Amino acid sequence: MIFASTFLRRALLADAVFSGIAALGFTFGAGAFAALFNLPEVLLRETGLFLIAYTALVGWLASRASLPKALVLLVVIANAAWTVASIALLFSGAVSPNLAGELMVVAQAIATGVFAELQYLGLRKSGSAVTA
C-alpha cells in the first residue's frame, strides 16, 4: 500500500473524467461516432462498455488516500498499452477510418499516454504506507 500523493490522485481523477466522457459517448453514441469517424460501430460500443468499468476503477482509486501500489502500476501499464494498441490499430489495416477518425484515435492515444506518464510520476511521488 502507498499513500497517494495529491499529484497521483489528480492524475487518476483526470483519467477517470476523460475515460468516463469517452465511455458515455462511445456506449450511447456508437452509431453517430461510427458514421463520423468511419470506424466500426461495434468497436466503439465495446470500447465504451470497457471504459465504463475502467472509469469506475480509476475513479475509485482517485478517491482513496491509501492505494495498492500494484493496482496503480497496472493502470499505468494499461494506459501505456492502450496508447501503443491505438496506434497499432491504425497501421494494422483492420479499420479504415477517415481523417477525422485517424485524428481522434491519435488524439486519444496521446492523451492516454500522457495519463500513463503523469500517473507514473505521481506513483513515484507517493509515500509508503504502513499497514496494521
Side-chain angles (χ1 to χ4, degrees), residues 23-96:
L24 293 174
F26 289 156
T27 299
F28 299 109
F33 283 120
L36 179 64
F37 299 133
N38 197 39
L39 287 167
E41 184 175 342
V42 68
L43 172 67
L44 296 173
R45 183 166 289 111
E46 289 177 2
T47 299
L49 292 171
F50 168 79
L51 286 174
I52 290 171
Y54 178 81
T55 297
L57 170 66
V58 177
W60 177 80
L61 286 171
S63 71
R64 303 283 158 230
S66 182
L67 306 169
K69 183 176 183 177
L71 195 53
V72 175
L73 191 54
L74 180 64
V75 169
V76 171
I77 292 167
N79 277 334
W82 186 284
T83 299
V84 172
S86 296
I87 300 305
L89 178 67
L90 293 178
F91 287 107
S92 72
V95 297
S96 299

